[in-house]
Amino acid sequence: GALDRGQRLDGKGGPRQGRLTLGAAPSHGERHDMTTDSQADAQGETKPGTLQALAVYGERRSLVMLSLGFASGLPNLLIFDTLSAWLRDAGLSLEVIAFFGLATLAYSLKFLWAPLVDRVKVPLITKWLGHRRSWMLVCQVLIVLGLWLIAGTNPAVSLGMMALFAVFVGFVSATQDIVIDAWRIEAAATEKQGAMAAAYQWGFRIAMIVAGVVPLALSEFVGWNTSYAIMALLMGVGVLGVLGAPREAQHEIRRIDADDIPKRPGRDGLEWATRLVLFVLGALVLGSGLAGNAAILSTGLNNVGLPGLAASIEALWEAKPGGVFAQVAGVVIGAVVIFLAARPAPGRETRPGRYLSVALGAPLADFFRRYGQAAGLILALICVYRLSDFVLNIMNPFYLDMGFTKL
């Protein structure tokens, strides 16, 4: 049955007076009772003090995020800003140095392959470390390898190889950021996310200071090659963070249903290789168009035995005034090639096509379905919000040209 208006059952089953219910007009005594109850509730929810609030930064997860932030910021500045001082020391032009800013373009485009990272398991070590930490460890090992390769390269002699290694480090570092963000969300409660993000930013900023000062100072005494090799060793801070991090909640990979497509390992392997080549080719054309410089694209064509095509593309890119239209066309063509590389083959169902269309296409389709007309603007902001940072890529050469020393 229903309780009388203005009454609620107390803990013993009897009516409790003084609580306002729908339709009841409180008396003066009831108002006083409600005020007393509210004050009691407020007193029960005491806010943490300053020391208690700061204690969260001494917890294991926060310290891990500090080290992961350091591992994220270190390669970012090494290939984006500090490398420009090395290139200027080697006598390279500002045009070439500015082109190296595209090495960090992967940070703006990482949303494209984030679904793949979420679905693909790392062989052997996933069972040991879990999905997120295994990806972080692999990325950090590859970053160390990339920095070592940069350290062993002379930009005055092998500029193309150094550019390739810088792009490799940028891509792997952006992939590491994907996994770090995912681990942070899965490894800590919602109320701890603010502290986790703050610890990450502290680590990132500390790494930027280290990567912006230490290599410049070391280059005066041991040279650029050795200084970058030492920076590669500092990535061990991130490795220690991964090994000391608590395992995230069990990661469930959403299954892609391809049982209706027969398995053909030989054909599927060839298709995967072809799609990978198309991805790389599209990225090279897209990057060359954005930079207005076809040096890397022409170098790649020369390496595969197409010097005539390489010379024609360089001439087309540098033509005045029509070269700008060729560069814009390069951006469009590169984007289309990347899009087609992720699409199913027309008129034929294949396992790689199904996998890529679901892993990459389904999240984007869901994104556009959620945000409608604003989706395009959001993606445009994601892609271009850091483009202004590319201007900073020539600041170190600018200071060196003005006569400032590296110390």
Side-chain angles (χ1 to χ4, degrees):
L3 294 173
D4 292 337
R5 181 177 300 172
Q7 296 179 339
R8 289 181 60 187
L9 289 176
D10 61 15
K12 299 179 180 179
R16 178 181 174 183
Q17 300 290 342
R19 291 292 189 184
L20 181 62
T21 56
L22 184 62
S27 65
H28 176 73
E30 287 173 334
R31 292 192 190 96
H32 175 73
D33 190 22
M34 286 187 294
T35 303
T36 302
D37 290 343
S38 299
Q39 291 174 347
D41 292 341
Q43 291 175 358
E45 297 177 358
T46 58
K47 294 182 178 181
T50 302
L51 294 179
Q52 187 177 354
L54 293 176
V56 67
Y57 295 104
E59 295 179 359
R60 176 183 176 186
R61 286 175 172 81
S62 297
L63 295 176
V64 167
M65 282 306 300
L66 185 70
S67 65
L68 293 179
F70 184 90
S72 177
L74 191 72
N76 180 286
L77 200 75
L78 285 176
I79 64 170
F80 176 67
D81 186 70
T82 308
L83 188 61
S84 63
W86 183 359
L87 297 177
R88 194 57 171 171
D89 255 5
L92 299 179
S93 67
L94 294 178
E95 180 185 9
V96 172
I97 294 172
F99 182 71
F100 269 72
L102 285 176
T104 57
L105 188 62
Y107 288 93
S108 297
L109 300 176
K110 61 185 178 182
F111 70 92
L112 289 174
W113 62 89
L116 289 176
V117 176
D118 190 57
R119 292 176 181 273
V120 176
K121 290 183 178 180
V122 179
L124 302 178
I125 62 175
T126 296
K127 293 183 179 180
W128 175 41
L129 292 175
H131 189 85
R132 305 301 185 191
R133 293 194 301 161
S134 61
W135 266 102
M136 281 191 278
L137 185 61
V138 168
C139 288
Q140 289 170 1
V141 171
L142 292 177
I143 290 171
V144 172
L145 174 62
L147 292 176
W148 270 92
L149 291 173
I150 291 176
T153 306
N154 183 352
V157 178
S158 305
L159 180 62
M161 293 304 298
M162 177 168 279
L164 180 62
F165 297 149
V167 170
F168 172 77
V169 172
F171 175 80
V172 178
S173 181
T175 304
Q176 177 189 229
D177 287 359
I178 294 171
V179 190
I180 290 176
D181 287 339
W183 180 86
R184 172 178 56 81
I185 294 171
E186 295 176 355
T190 303
E191 60 270 16
K192 299 289 183 68
Q193 290 299 322
M196 296 282 280
Y200 174 85
Q201 287 299 324
W202 271 105
F204 192 93
R205 298 302 171 184
I206 292 172
M208 293 187 73
I209 294 173
V210 172
V213 175
V214 176
L216 292 172
L218 288 176
S219 67
E220 287 289 305
F221 302 101
V222 296
W224 281 107
N225 300 85
T226 304
S227 67
Y228 262 70
I230 294 174
M231 291 297 101
L233 295 177
L234 289 182
M235 283 298 297
V237 173
V239 174
L240 292 176
V242 171
L243 297 179
R247 186 164 181 157
E248 74 275 5
Q250 186 64 32
H251 180 72
E252 295 183 5
I253 299 177
R254 290 165 291 179
R255 185 174 179 271
I256 297 177
D257 186 13
D259 294 338
D260 57 319
I261 303 175
K263 292 183 179 180
R264 295 185 175 90
R267 188 191 70 177
D268 291 346
L270 179 61
E271 183 176 342
W272 277 116
T274 303
R275 290 179 181 272
L276 179 60
V277 170
L278 289 175
F279 268 116
V280 174
L281 179 61
L284 286 175
V285 176
L286 175 66
S288 298
L290 287 173
N293 190 319
I296 292 182
L297 181 59
S298 63
T299 300
L301 293 173
N302 282 321
N303 290 336
V304 298
L306 297 172
L309 181 59
S312 299
I313 290 179
E314 281 196 351
L316 189 61
W317 246 243
E318 296 171 1
K320 304 293 183 182
V324 64
F325 298 105
Q327 296 163 17
V328 173
V331 173
V332 175
I333 292 173
V336 170
V337 170
I338 293 174
F339 174 76
L340 293 177
R343 293 284 298 168
R348 189 175 60 139
E349 283 278 3
T350 63
R351 297 178 76 89
R354 173 77 63 83
Y355 186 91
L356 288 175
S357 63
V358 173
L360 292 178
L364 285 176
D366 179 68
F367 177 80
F368 277 94
R369 189 164 48 248
R370 286 170 180 253
Y371 296 99
Q373 296 179 349
L377 293 175
I378 294 173
L379 286 181
L381 176 63
I382 292 172
C383 291
V384 305
Y385 83 102
R386 290 193 68 253
L387 292 181
S388 59
D389 290 348
F390 291 156
V391 178
L392 298 177
N393 191 42
I394 61 173
M395 292 307 296
N396 276 339
F398 174 72
Y399 293 138
L400 293 175
D401 289 348
M402 291 184 64
F404 287 91
T405 65
K406 289 178 286 185
L407 293 178

